Amino acid sequence: MSLKEQFGKDVLLTGWGHSRFGKLTDETLESLIVQVATEAIGNAGIEPGQIDEIYLGQFNSGMMPLAFPSSLALQVSEQLANVPSTRVENACASGSAAFQQGTKSLLAGTAKTVLVIGAEKMTHAGADVVGAALLGADYDMAGKASSTGFTGLFAEVAKHYEKRYGPVSDVLGTIAAKNHRNGVDNPYAQLRKDLGEEFCRTVSDKNPMVADPLRRTDCSPVSDGAAAVVLSVSPTGGATAPVRLAGFGHANDFFPTERRDPTAFNATRASWQRALGMAGVGLEDLDFAEVHDCFTIAELLMYEAMGLTEPGQGTRAVQEGWVFKDGRLPINVSGGLKAKGHPVGATGVSQHVIAAMQLTGTAGGMQLANPRRAAVQNMGGVGIANYVSVLEAV
């Protein structure tokens, strides 16, 4: 049973916009929001006055003084005056949280056209400010000093995984190299350089150990950027064919570390099962996936959480080539968070936009050969807030 069969209506991605990701010193949060919202509305072939509701995904957590940005999208046009607009925050999954809130407005019948935006400005803030903000998404470390920040939390996950299943350092290096290679073809990506496996696997002056066993190349960068998508219940006559949301899932795990298996990502698995179940498909029906690789160990665990391999066998997906661009299920053809960048609130919306571009044949150098169905997975915290969407070409 698909979403349309369950709810009796379509949810379509009918237009989208995407900024470049990186250190955007000449941009403000407002300018990024206006840029991508304007692009998405124009791409959808509608007027701003046809937007019934706006959702903005943004984390912030003290990285910017402005903590009330929900009305910034109204700067696009006078036609948006008095349109309801809500900021949505769920750590690094804020963008997908906003996407699902917009979806639910359409399904509830309170809106027919929704604008969803994800945006973040981070690079202006000092490393200590960014580190403290991100640690605010962890139950045990929020408000505490840390020399390794969130990298240290995922390093602990990697250590637990290696203790249980064996060494993964070289495989993590291969994942990093894969995503850097893919990022070369993404015009929006922050890091567009093919670094090669040897560099990514080796600790060096240019690739230092950040938190053992995670090197710099195992970590996504601090980024600025934004993305937007128009959601509609029917086609809008936009620049491209629409993309259908076939299913979605959301699951949260317990917050305290002691209540979670650090290597299982159980709530992530539940979100995948819910999304695939609603769409009425299996992994074998997907042509590619964009997943949350904030750290390379997260992508490795995602192979297992999504059911691509059994627990402890995620390395097979890399060693046997399944997740490469020419493999059975390409993962992060965009370069992922690792190469594309990770402006926290923008990430989930960006993943949906990139997937929509692939499914409409408009992904340029990133383009796969005629993909028809994809999945997007976005995560907040260490496997805490988990969102999955299944998208398909119309």
Side-chain angles (χ1 to χ4, degrees), residues 175 178-179 182 272 283 286-293 299 302-303 306 308 317 322-325 327-336 368 375:
I175 292 172
K178 167 183 73 73
N179 292 349
N182 288 346
W272 274 98
L283 281 184
L286 301 179
D287 295 306
F288 69 95
E290 289 288 321
V291 309
H292 194 98
D293 63 321
E299 180 168 328
M302 207 55 56
Y303 304 155
M306 69 199 297
L308 187 58
W322 303 350
V323 295
F324 290 84
K325 197 168 183 178
R328 59 190 272 192
L329 184 62
I331 300 290
N332 288 333
V333 175
S334 69
L368 295 167

Side-chain angles (χ1 to χ4, degrees), residues 157-307:
V157 171
K159 288 176 182 176
H160 281 289
Y161 190 94
E162 290 192 320
K163 184 176 181 180
R164 187 174 299 181
Y165 299 118
V168 294
S169 180
D170 280 355
V171 166
L172 297 184
T174 301
I175 292 172
K178 167 183 73 73
N179 292 349
H180 275 288
R181 190 178 308 116
N182 288 346
V184 171
D185 296 323
N186 184 351
Y188 306 114
Q190 181 170 355
L191 305 174
R192 300 185 66 187
K193 186 175 182 180
D194 184 354
L195 298 177
E197 285 192 33
E198 186 63 28
F199 180 85
C200 292
R201 287 179 169 187
T202 306
V203 176
S204 65
D205 290 342
K206 293 185 177 181
N207 189 27
M209 189 72 74
V210 180
D212 191 18
L214 301 182
R215 299 146 297 214
R216 180 179 290 165
T217 49
D218 293 305
C219 311
S220 58
V222 173
S223 316
D224 305 326
V229 62
V230 174
L231 301 179
S232 311
V233 293
S234 59
T236 58
T240 69
V243 170
R244 176 178 290 114
L245 177 65
F248 62 91
H250 173 203
N252 269 51
D253 210 337
F254 294 106
F255 211 4
T257 303
E258 63 186 20
R259 299 199 65 183
R260 290 178 276 117
D261 181 338
T263 68
F265 280 23
N266 287 320
T268 311
R269 182 181 298 274
S271 65
W272 274 98
Q273 292 170 343
R274 290 169 183 172
L276 293 170
M278 183 185 291
V281 300
L283 281 184
E284 67 278 4
D285 299 306
L286 301 179
D287 295 306
F288 69 95
E290 289 288 321
V291 309
H292 194 98
D293 63 321
C294 50
F295 301 93
T296 51
I297 184 64
E299 180 168 328
L300 180 66
L301 283 170
M302 207 55 56
Y303 304 155
E304 300 175 14
M306 69 199 297

Side-chain angles (χ1 to χ4, degrees), residues 67-131:
F68 183 43
S70 58
S71 279
L72 289 180
L74 274 58
Q75 301 293 84
V76 169
S77 170
E78 291 290 332
Q79 295 181 40
L80 291 176
N82 303 321
V83 170
S85 185
T86 304
R87 175 194 173 213
V88 179
E89 189 282 312
N90 218 0
C92 296
S94 295
S96 286
F99 181 91
Q100 286 201 12
Q101 288 304 113
T103 295
K104 290 173 182 177
S105 287
L106 298 184
L107 296 178
T110 57
K112 293 183 178 180
T113 306
V114 173
L115 174 63
V116 178
I117 306 165
E120 207 75 66
K121 199 75 170 77
M122 302 173 69
T123 64
H124 64 284
D128 56 337
V129 174
V130 173

